[in-house]
Amino acid sequence: MITIPYITALTTYFSYGLLFAFGQLRDFFRKIFDWWSKSSLQGYAPICLGLEDFYVRRLYLRIQDCFNRPISSSPDAWFDLVERISNDNNKTLKRTTKVKRCLNLGSYNYLGFAAADEYCTPRAIETLKNFAPSSCSTRVDGGTTTLHVELEKCVANFLGKEAAIVFGMGYATNSAILPVLMGKGRLIISDSLNHNSIVNGARGSGATIRVFQHNTPSHLEKVLREQIAEGQPRTHRPWKKIMVVVEGIYSMEGELCQLPEIAYVYLDEAHSIGAVGKTGRGVCELLGVDTADVDIMMGTFTKSFGSCGGYIAGSKELIQYLKYTCPAHLYATSISPPAAEQIISSIKVVNGEDGSSRGAQKLAKIRENSNFFRSELQKMGFEVLGDNDSPVMPIMLYNPAKIPAFSRECLKRNVAVVTVAFPATPLLLARARICISAAHSREDLVKALEVISEVGDMVGIKYFPAEPEKQQLEGDRVKLE
Amino acid sequence: MAILYVRAAPTTDLNRNTEWFTYPGVWSTYILILFFSWLMVLSVFACSPGMAWTVVHLSHFFVTYQFFHWKKGTPFAEDQGIYNRLTWWEQIDSGQQLTRNRKFLTVVPIVLYLIASHTTDYQHPMLFFNTVAVFVLVVAKFPHMHKVRIFGINADQ
């Protein structure tokens, strides 16, 4: 539940209305100018239909310099940001040769494996020399090396499941697996805030999709009862298969799903694996759910393990079935050997099998960092989403003008944040998303807090009254429907 | 001064073009925009309040007709064009008829019409234009007109 001050909601709608009106006005004049000038494109069909690109042209391009910033170093706690300039009011951006050293609050670098690591990197380089950068083949043809077999065993052991199957790309894992598991006559019930990969996979499968309110098990129950009672859309026959798809940590919210209350689950742990839970085993461990209760666990290696690729873990029969049918396994190139070695080494570090306690230290550090940062931000009066222990914390901005203001002011002070707006988030709820990593030291976090507090005052996003030294409840709250 | 907070529950509407309408504060913003545009018209044209309401009513008619009932599709390409044949009115609430939002949006032009005609004392020619406007708007919002294109106007190729 997000709590918005009422005036902020009104002003946000008004700002968007104004931006929309100005965009329409400029489009209107553009149409007139284009009608006057002769176009050299006679006989060509238009690329965009109707108003499809209105949002990109009139809203996104105005603040384009806050997104897609190129970096020129590895995404560690501090990184080098390439500066860009624009001569035509942000319509095009040109890279300069100047580079800025910034604090990185945007990378999914939860356990700090993004930079060179003393255990993983030498091994990855060794594998690069022995196995070559790409396996150059699909899994069934010639792309299964000893590394792949070891990796799947490693992942299955880490998660406590019987078997696992690994793919080269996390997004492709979701979009290729869901069509295999589900098809016509089946039902997918997915959380309203599920990631695009799940939505695409579900749409591609041909199954019927129903959405339930984010993190509301009571609504999920209602939807389930309704659907089981009604059956398939026109024939009313019972569904052949029903699956509930949820995520471990929602990347835009930072919240954990309410796993203990849901069953028959496909759990997407892209953000939570490795980052939460006492030994890094994800939300199941954190929420005390036995992994045998979750039917299919999916995750990616991009976030906590510093590599690329995705996995599915489940029972032996399930994985065997997937190996025969999944197109990503049969036709897509297998995961690159050095990437696989990076994953194996990082899992070994997390488990402590490399002989040191660095894994346990990293896990403790990220939990400590996340909780410290979140509580400090909340004390300052920001509206921060996300549950405790989650390393993803969105700070609500709401107003569209505050998005570029926050982003640019933070950049001036050498802190790089990621801001997200419509349509990745709902219209009203634009936010700046902070991802904390185990590589951030206490001084980094304190500096980040200072900068964010200063910029927050300038931009005006401290929607809740700041708490003084003593703990006290947030100020006057009147709930409107 | 106490700050008024509202709770925003996440919606199940997947269409990004219309789900913003389900959040709190939209109705009030709509009404406030209408009221402030009346004040602006009054201050710019220095006409009588009745004429100002008529101007507001007619421009409201043009703007809402254009954006609710004429323009089809969504202003972004991420949904791959599944709503390309539907106007905004047909998209809200996923096509369900007679929801609270739809009833509110049907009432607003009627109330505007009543205010405009009352403050102009039901004189011609303002009354004629106001009546035509409200008639077109309300008929366009009927449940029976869902996905109906009269005489093929605004239909696809």
Side-chain angles (χ1 to χ4, degrees):
Chain A
M1 282 292 180
I2 303 180
T3 318
I4 320 175
Y6 199 55
I7 306 285
T8 310
L10 299 181
T11 50
T12 311
Y13 286 126
F14 180 69
S15 314
Y16 272 111
L18 205 61
L19 284 170
F20 186 75
F22 267 96
Q24 294 288 341
L25 203 63
R26 291 174 88 153
D27 272 355
F28 174 68
F29 280 111
R30 168 61 47 192
K31 240 198 283 205
I32 295 186
F33 286 152
D34 278 349
W35 185 68
W36 272 118
S37 63
K38 279 285 186 267
S39 163
S40 58
L41 295 173
Q42 295 293 342
Y44 281 87
I47 294 182
C48 298
L49 209 54
L51 267 196
E52 243 177 26
D53 58 343
F54 176 78
Y55 178 75
V56 170
R57 267 181 306 116
R58 295 300 176 200
L59 272 76
Y60 176 80
L61 282 185
R62 295 174 81 140
I63 53 174
Q64 217 201 130
D65 61 315
C66 302
F67 306 110
N68 290 338
R69 294 187 179 140
I71 64 177
S72 65
S73 72
S74 67
D76 200 13
W78 287 82
F79 63 176
D80 292 327
L81 206 67
V82 175
E83 293 181 20
R84 297 182 291 179
I85 51 165
S86 170
N87 295 326
D88 50 3
N89 219 2
N90 267 353
K91 235 167 112 186
T92 54
L93 290 167
K94 275 210 282 280
R95 291 198 309 268
T96 62
T97 48
K98 286 201 298 202
V99 150
K100 206 177 183 164
R101 187 111 192 123
C102 293
L103 178 63
N104 181 5
L105 287 181
S107 294
Y108 304 140
N109 179 19
Y110 299 141
L111 291 180
F113 283 116
D117 185 78
E118 57 194 18
Y119 183 79
C120 303
T121 313
R123 281 177 176 67
I125 297 183
E126 204 41 56
T127 315
L128 182 63
K129 292 193 198 143
N130 290 340
F131 283 91
S134 166
S135 57
C136 298
S137 172
T138 69
R139 285 293 298 270
V140 287
D141 281 339
T144 305
T145 64
T146 47
L147 273 179
H148 293 91
V149 175
E150 195 190 333
L151 176 60
E152 289 183 349
K153 238 194 314 244
C154 212
V155 167
N157 281 341
F158 186 67
L159 294 168
K161 291 294 246 185
E162 281 174 23
I165 179 175
V166 165
F167 302 101
M169 186 178 155
Y171 190 102
T173 311
N174 267 332
S175 20
I177 285 292
L178 283 171
V180 169
L181 292 174
M182 309 297 278
K184 276 232 156 69
R186 292 157 175 84
L187 175 66
I188 299 182
I189 305 190
S190 97
D191 190 295
S192 63
L193 292 176
N194 270 341
H195 190 253
N196 206 321
S197 52
I198 299 179
V199 173
N200 269 338
R203 282 205 191 133
S205 68
T208 318
I209 310 174
R210 288 279 175 269
V211 167
F212 70 94
Q213 247 180 16
H214 175 62
N215 260 355
T216 318
S218 53
H219 192 246
L220 170 63
E221 193 182 330
K222 182 160 153 285
V223 170
L224 266 173
R225 275 177 201 273
E226 233 179 82
Q227 290 303 316
I228 296 181
E230 278 179 12
Q232 298 185 26
R234 261 163 299 162
T235 57
H236 290 293
R237 287 204 213 118
W239 295 102
K240 293 193 201 149
K241 210 196 287 189
I242 302 183
M243 171 135 39
V244 177
V245 181
V246 289
E247 289 189 25
I249 292 189
Y250 290 90
S251 54
M252 286 302 161
E253 309 286 319
E255 286 177 345
L256 306 165
C257 69
Q258 306 208 9
L259 202 48
E261 309 180 29
I262 312 181
Y264 306 118
V265 167
Y266 175 108
L267 176 64
D268 177 340
E269 288 209 81
H271 282 267
S272 50
I273 189 70
V276 294
K278 234 167 69 167
T279 51
R281 274 146 175 76
V283 280
C284 284
E285 189 178 2
L286 187 67
L287 298 172
V289 174
D290 186 10
T291 48
D293 286 337
V294 177
D295 299 289
I296 308 181
M297 292 172 68
M298 178 265 171
T300 61
F301 301 118
T302 6
K303 322 299 197 291
S304 305
F305 300 112
S307 181
C308 63
Y311 67 85
I312 298 259
S315 65
K316 256 212 186 69
E317 295 88 21
L318 171 71
I319 301 297
Q320 194 69 334
Y321 173 71
L322 286 178
K323 287 196 173 164
Y324 290 142
T325 50
C326 179
H329 190 251
L330 301 171
Y331 305 118
T333 316
S334 56
I335 186 171
S336 147
E341 178 58 40
Q342 162 78 12
I343 304 168
I344 299 177
S345 322
S346 50
I347 293 187
K348 287 213 180 94
V349 172
V350 169
N351 273 338
E353 284 166 24
D354 63 330
S356 73
S357 65
R358 276 196 319 138
Q361 277 172 7
K362 280 182 197 271
L363 288 165
K365 191 105 209 300
I366 187 177
R367 202 172 324 127
E368 205 185 291
N369 281 352
S370 325
N371 289 338
F372 167 69
F373 207 73
R374 180 176 270 114
S375 58
E376 286 297 315
L377 281 178
Q378 278 173 335
K379 271 198 229 148
M380 286 193 239
F382 289 101
E383 179 164 5
V384 183
L385 304 183
D387 299 329
N388 260 333
D389 276 356
S390 151
V392 176
M393 39 198 96
I395 303 180
M396 299 308 295
L397 300 171
Y398 300 124
N399 231 301
K402 301 193 183 185
I403 304 168
F406 188 76
S407 181
R408 291 171 189 159
E409 289 297 320
C410 277
L411 190 60
K412 279 200 205 136
R413 292 163 177 72
N414 286 358
V415 170
V417 291
V418 170
T419 46
V420 202
F422 186 73
T425 63
L427 187 77
L428 197 54
L429 309 173
R431 61 201 70 182
R433 184 184 67 181
I434 307 232
C435 293
I436 296 292
S437 132
H440 285 134
S441 63
R442 198 36 94 95
E443 296 82 42
D444 294 335
L445 294 184
V446 166
K447 169 176 183 348
L449 282 169
E450 272 167 27
V451 166
I452 293 181
S453 179
E454 198 187 322
V455 176
D457 276 327
M458 221 192 296
V459 166
I461 50 179
K462 292 191 177 169
Y463 294 115
F464 291 147
E467 291 172 11
E469 316 301 281
K470 258 195 339 210
Q471 281 292 94
Q472 77 181 32
L473 279 179
E474 292 149 6
D476 312 313
R477 278 235 209 157
V478 178
K479 195 167 77 162
L480 265 193
E481 66 99 25
Chain B
M1 193 189 98
I3 309 178
L4 231 57
Y5 288 97
V6 281
R7 290 258 151 128
T11 53
T12 51
D13 191 352
L14 288 175
N15 183 359
R16 290 282 184 202
N17 192 21
T18 59
E19 50 108 47
W20 59 273
F21 210 74
T22 59
Y23 280 92
V26 194
W27 292 9
S28 315
T29 313
Y30 192 9
I31 297 178
L32 283 175
I33 290 181
L34 287 174
F35 178 66
F36 279 117
S37 52
W38 176 67
L39 287 180
M40 281 237 306
V41 169
L42 261 189
S43 41
V44 166
F45 292 126
C47 51
S48 69
M51 271 313 280
W53 275 120
T54 310
V55 170
V56 167
H57 181 219
L58 290 176
S59 35
H60 172 258
F61 162 63
F62 285 121
V63 168
T64 50
Y65 192 77
Q66 159 81 347
F67 290 118
F68 288 2
H69 300 283
W70 189 266
K71 279 259 171 279
K72 294 193 283 203
T74 53
F76 33 81
E78 278 87 26
D79 55 11
Q80 297 173 349
I82 42 181
Y83 301 111
N84 270 355
R85 290 170 178 264
L86 298 178
T87 62
W88 190 84
W89 180 256
E90 287 157 5
Q91 290 171 30
I92 40 171
D93 291 327
S94 322
Q96 277 173 359
Q97 300 300 322
L98 299 177
T99 59
R100 291 187 71 199
N101 280 333
R102 286 182 186 236
K103 289 185 197 160
F104 170 75
L105 286 175
T106 317
V107 163
V108 167
I110 298 179
V111 168
L112 263 186
Y113 169 69
L114 292 174
I115 297 179
S117 18
H118 172 78
T119 47
T120 57
D121 286 326
Y122 301 92
Q123 290 162 2
H124 277 300
M126 282 82 68
L127 185 65
F128 173 68
F129 289 126
N130 283 338
T131 313
V132 164
V134 80
F135 183 72
V136 170
L137 273 187
V138 171
V139 165
K141 296 179 161 71
F142 277 169
H144 285 291
M145 295 294 284
H146 184 71
K147 293 203 214 172
V148 168
R149 309 269 179 256
I150 315 179
F151 300 135
I153 303 176
N154 205 16
D156 310 302
Q157 289 81 359

